[in-house]
Structures are given as structure tokens and as C-alpha cells.
Amino acid sequence: METFMVDEEHCAARRHFFEDHAEGWEDRNYSPEKLRRLESLLARVDLDRGMTVLDAGCGQGVLLPFLRRRVGGEGRLIALDASAAMLRCAAQRHPDAWILHAGVEAIPLLDGYVDAVICFSAFPHFSDKEATACEFYRLLKPGGAAYVLHIDGREKLNDLHDQHHAVCGDHLPCPHGMKKIFSQAGFSKMRADESAEHYYFAACKQE
């Protein structure tokens, strides 16, 4: 599997960026129209009542109300993020979720613990994308699926990130590149499509 050196200075700058911008993040970034687009995209995610779902890179928890409606009260939602400031807001807004402060490259959960992993609007910011995909695979039950979702197009996202030094170079891979990353981690049955207003990727762990 391809490996590369992680730029620790860039990682630190990214962490500070999200800590410093946490207050008001959802209000600034998720208009009612964007939330409608998010709900439409989430309709393509296979979820059932009672599932355990990991929201990887959850931020302030914008996904959690949508996920709760899908998994019901008996389902378990795990909200994971590397930003303590983001998680404090998520905990206040969504006390029914299990809040987990950790990076995605080493998630403190048992093998096969979750039914689904959903990574919304966060994957470009993960320094070691190959290690992240391997962690998603490890955590999923056989037959489970991982999803990478965005409600903006890849080119727009990449250009936007390059305008700020803290997240410059935090790019979303093209569908072909994403399939390569996840296939190397062991996934199969991958689906991907994109447009100017969305990015959808799904990969299944064989039963």
C-alpha cells in the first residue's frame, strides 16, 4: 500500500483552524437550502433502525438529526472529531450521541463495532487517507458500508481549500482515486458519482 510522510506542521495548522472557527460554524456554512441538499444526498445511504453509525469528522453534528431519524431511538450514533471545540458544541446540541474525541487514523473502537461509517464534508482534511480507509474497514461489521459525502462539487471544494493556508492542499480525491484508496483497504462493491453540487462515494465490506 502507498505510504507518505505526514506534514506535522500542516496538521497543527489545520487543527488550530477548526478550533478557532468552531463557533458559529454550522450557521455560517449550512443554509436551509444546503440542508435540503444534504437530506437528499443522505437518502442514498443505506440505514435501518437500530443501527450503530459512526459520523467520522462530525464537526458540530450537522448530520446527527438526519441520522437519528433513520436509526430511531434504539440506534447508536457515534460522533467523532479531532476538534474539541467542535465536539463541545455537538455534545450540547445532541446529548443522545456518543461523543468521541479522536483522529480518524486511530479510532478507539473495537473491530466490527459499527454498521455504517459516514464521512460528510471532512475527508479532504484527513492527512493519511489510506490509514483512514483501513480504520473504516476495521470498524465495520461484515456487510457494512462506508460513505464519503459532500454537497459541493470536488473542484469547488479543492479550490476553496487552497485559498486558506491552514487547509491548502486538503483535496478530495477523484472517484477513481477514492476507489483505489478504499480497494487497497479491502473494500468492494464501490459506487461513486459527482456533479458540480455533490460528491457521493460508497464502499462495502464483504459479508
Side-chain angles (χ1 to χ4, degrees):
M1 181 181 296
E2 181 182 358
T3 60
F4 57 91
M5 296 297 294
V6 174
D7 185 338
E8 294 296 339
E9 183 176 349
H10 182 67
C11 289
R14 186 192 296 119
R15 284 195 298 271
H16 289 306
F17 173 83
F18 286 109
E19 291 290 313
D20 293 343
H21 291 80
E23 185 174 353
W25 181 267
E26 281 195 22
D27 294 335
R28 292 193 304 271
N29 290 284
Y30 295 107
S31 65
E33 188 274 334
K34 283 195 170 185
L35 291 176
R36 287 191 291 271
R37 284 163 52 192
L38 174 56
E39 187 168 23
S40 178
L41 191 59
L42 284 171
R44 301 176 60 186
V45 174
D46 294 327
L47 295 176
D48 291 316
R49 297 185 73 83
M51 278 188 169
T52 296
V53 180
L54 173 64
D55 181 358
C58 65
Q60 295 185 342
V62 65
L63 277 191
L64 296 174
F66 298 97
L67 301 180
R68 177 57 69 195
R69 289 197 289 271
R70 299 283 298 278
V71 304
E74 63 271 35
R76 168 171 280 186
L77 300 180
I78 306 169
L80 178 144
D81 205 280
S83 168
M86 290 285 189
L87 285 176
R88 283 194 292 271
C89 184
Q92 292 171 356
R93 294 185 178 189
H94 310 287
D96 61 329
W98 176 7
I99 304 298
L100 194 57
H101 185 204
V104 290
E105 296 90 353
I107 300 173
L109 293 172
L110 296 174
D111 295 359
Y113 192 79
V114 304
D115 297 288
V117 177
I118 302 177
C119 180
F120 169 65
S121 198
F123 198 81
H125 305 303
F126 301 155
S127 295
D128 192 335
K129 294 175 173 59
E130 288 80 5
T132 298
C134 288
E135 274 295 89
F136 290 174
Y137 187 87
R138 180 185 69 80
L139 293 174
L140 282 167
K141 298 175 183 177
Y147 300 86
V148 176
L149 308 174
H150 289 265
I151 52 173
D152 287 306
R154 177 167 51 89
E155 291 186 6
K156 178 181 178 180
L157 284 169
N158 293 347
D159 289 343
L160 179 64
H161 293 164
D162 286 344
Q163 294 174 25
H164 196 289
H165 75 279
V167 292
C168 182
D170 286 7
H171 289 174
L172 183 63
C174 68
H176 176 75
M178 192 71 81
K179 288 180 178 179
K180 181 178 179 180
I181 291 169
F182 277 76
S183 65
Q184 288 176 333
F187 285 93
S188 60
K189 298 180 182 178
M190 289 170 284
R191 308 186 302 277
D193 62 75
E194 61 178 339
S195 73
E197 293 191 341
H198 86 280
Y199 184 98
Y200 172 90
F201 176 80
C204 294
K205 181 175 181 176
Q206 288 186 334
E207 296 186 28

